[in-house]
């Protein structure tokens, strides 16, 4: 593609051909990449397909195509991922939000729907998608979001600023390590829950996304168990713990919750009808 002589239509065609052998919908992939490379909407690109691309936009598009061809997730290339119908800034070193995790938001909102000033802790906030989605829906709540990663905390703060959300505070903490002396009505978390030797993990997920947000010991349960055991010390009486986990881990999570005095334990299914989120209520003795 030669600069100043390539139309939008030509760039999309060549980009699609370049990706054709590796992606089920290369036309859409190319359109998304060009949208971000040219800082234009899809509608504009399709309506002005005979316009020439600027050299800068063409160069950026070619760079995006090369990165995508190597398997890099779209979210890292475009630095954006939609979650709960909101745009979230993401970058390498931050776990990419998944639709399954929206169940955490739904479950939290159901619990706090009649509580005006709920105190909520989001453990391992990543880009802040869970905490900020809850905060957007429930602006009267007070949310603390923590993560061990400075990259994640910075991304989450950026998202809070971009979305104009002010009822979330961010703390660098390895789980509960910096949360001493506080208690919450709800603790919500999407921890790492993949076994270290899991052979089913997608190649590009393992290659590009942060290990610390994916893997948790030999069985994938180490962090889940740690959170369940520590959470009672940070929950109010009748406070709720809401955990995302792997689709085969619900029984283990429920048993561990029972051992730690959680009651009314239930597991919810995700959009693929897999066990995905388990909730329990902590009753103080």
């Amino acid at each position: 593609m030669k600069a100043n002589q390539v139309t939008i239509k030509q760039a999309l065609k060549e980009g699609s051909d370049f990706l054709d052998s590796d992606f089920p919908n290369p036309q859409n992939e190319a359109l998304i990449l060009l949208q971000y490379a040219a800082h234009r909407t899809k509608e504009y690109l399709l309506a002005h397909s005979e316009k020439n691309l600027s050299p800068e936009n063409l160069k950026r598009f070619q760079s995006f195509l090369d990165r995508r061809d190597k398997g890099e997730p779209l979210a890292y290339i475009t630095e954006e991922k939609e979650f709960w119908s909101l745009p979230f800034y993401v970058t390498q070193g931050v776990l990419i939000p998944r639709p399954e995790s929206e169940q955490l938001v739904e479950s939290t909102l159901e619990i706090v729907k009649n509580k005006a000033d709920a105190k909520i802790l989001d453990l391992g906030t990543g880009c802040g998608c869970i905490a900020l989605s809850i905060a957007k829906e429930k602006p009267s709540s007070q949310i603390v979001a923590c993560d061990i990663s400075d990259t994640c905390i910075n991304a989450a703060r950026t998202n809070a600023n971009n979305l104009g959300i002010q009822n979330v505070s961010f703390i660098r903490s390895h789980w509960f390590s910096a949360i001493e002396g506080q208690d919450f009505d709800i603790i919500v978390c999407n921890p790492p829950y993949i076994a270290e030797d899991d052979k089913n993990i997608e190649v590009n997920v393992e290659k590009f996304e942060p290990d610390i947000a994916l893997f948790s010991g030999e069985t994938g349960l180490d962090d889940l168990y740690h959170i369940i055991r520590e959470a009672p010390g940070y929950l109010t009486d009748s406070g709720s713990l809401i955990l995302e986990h792997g689709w085969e881990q619900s029984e283990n999570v429920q048993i561990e919750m029972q051992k730690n005095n959680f009651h009314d334990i239930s597991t919810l299914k995700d959009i693929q009808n897999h066990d995905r989120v388990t909730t329990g209520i902590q009753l103080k003795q």
Side-chain angles (χ1 to χ4, degrees), residues 220-238:
L221 291 163
D222 286 6
D223 288 293
L224 283 161
Y225 284 173
H226 174 78
I227 293 164
I228 293 168
R229 292 163 186 168
E230 294 293 319
Y234 301 88
L235 283 168
T236 59
D237 188 22
S238 299

Side-chain angles (χ1 to χ4, degrees), residues 53-67:
L53 285 173
S54 71
E56 295 81 8
N57 289 344
L58 181 60
K59 183 178 180 180
R60 191 180 301 113
F61 180 52
Q62 291 171 324
S63 171
F64 285 1
L65 288 169
D66 288 337
R67 291 168 63 184

Side-chain angles (χ1 to χ4, degrees), residues 9-279:
K9 182 177 181 179
Q10 290 170 330
L12 287 172
K13 174 66 168 59
E14 294 188 33
S16 174
D17 290 345
F18 180 74
L19 298 174
D20 188 41
S21 61
D22 298 314
F23 299 93
N25 193 345
Q27 294 87 357
N28 190 56
E29 296 265 346
L31 181 57
I32 292 171
L33 292 174
L34 187 56
Q35 174 189 351
Y36 284 88
H39 305 292
R40 295 287 191 178
T41 65
K42 294 179 183 179
E43 292 76 15
Y44 176 92
L45 295 175
L46 295 174
H48 300 83
S49 61
E50 300 304 325
K51 283 185 172 291
N52 288 337
L53 285 173
S54 71
E56 295 81 8
N57 289 344
L58 181 60
K59 183 178 180 180
R60 191 180 301 113
F61 180 52
Q62 291 171 324
S63 171
F64 285 1
L65 288 169
D66 288 337
R67 291 168 63 184
R68 188 65 179 130
D69 186 55
K70 291 179 174 65
E72 186 173 350
L74 273 173
Y76 288 153
I77 300 172
T78 63
E79 296 189 332
E80 186 174 298
K81 180 67 175 181
E82 184 180 284
F83 182 89
W84 201 254
S85 299
L86 298 171
F88 284 91
Y89 163 73
V90 293
T91 186
Q92 288 194 2
V94 177
L95 187 72
I96 299 170
R98 267 70 169 180
E100 293 83 358
S101 298
E102 291 188 353
Q103 182 64 63
L104 293 170
V105 180
E106 292 179 11
S107 298
T108 302
L109 292 174
E110 178 63 24
I111 292 171
V112 302
K113 65 182 179 181
N114 296 319
K115 188 174 179 61
D117 55 352
K119 289 183 61 181
I120 301 167
L121 173 63
D122 175 27
L123 291 171
T125 195
C127 70
C129 61
I130 294 165
L132 294 169
S133 297
I134 296 167
K136 188 78 170 178
E137 299 287 343
K138 196 73 174 177
S140 62
S141 63
Q142 293 300 315
I143 303 173
V144 174
C146 71
D147 204 289
I148 193 174
S149 163
D150 287 329
T151 300
C152 289
I153 291 294
N154 291 336
R157 284 180 173 145
T158 296
N159 283 317
N161 291 332
N162 290 345
L163 295 169
I165 294 173
Q166 299 180 344
N167 57 321
V168 181
S169 58
F170 299 97
I171 299 175
R172 189 179 186 277
S173 178
H174 183 215
W175 302 134
F176 297 99
S177 65
I179 314 294
E180 294 298 329
Q182 301 185 60
D183 57 12
F184 300 87
D185 300 302
I186 296 174
I187 296 173
V188 60
C189 181
N190 174 22
Y193 52 74
I194 300 173
E196 290 174 348
D197 62 350
D198 192 325
K199 305 302 182 185
N200 296 317
I201 186 171
E202 293 180 23
V203 172
N204 290 328
V205 170
E206 185 174 13
K207 180 178 180 181
F208 289 99
E209 297 195 58
D211 287 354
I212 195 172
L214 297 172
F215 301 105
S216 185
E218 292 184 3
T219 64
L221 291 163
D222 286 6
D223 288 293
L224 283 161
Y225 284 173
H226 174 78
I227 293 164
I228 293 168
R229 292 163 186 168
E230 294 293 319
Y234 301 88
L235 283 168
T236 59
D237 188 22
S238 299
S240 296
L241 178 61
I242 306 175
L243 293 173
E244 181 173 331
H245 49 72
W247 68 280
E248 294 180 310
Q249 295 172 331
S250 59
E251 182 177 357
N252 299 89
V253 171
Q254 288 196 16
I255 291 171
E256 194 63 27
M257 280 190 171
Q258 291 167 0
K259 290 179 181 178
N260 287 273
N261 199 39
F262 284 92
H263 299 264
D264 297 326
I265 299 167
S266 63
T267 295
L268 305 170
K269 295 186 181 296
D270 62 20
I271 54 179
Q272 296 180 323
N273 205 37
H274 291 152
D275 287 353
R276 186 62 61 190
V277 170
T278 295
T279 68

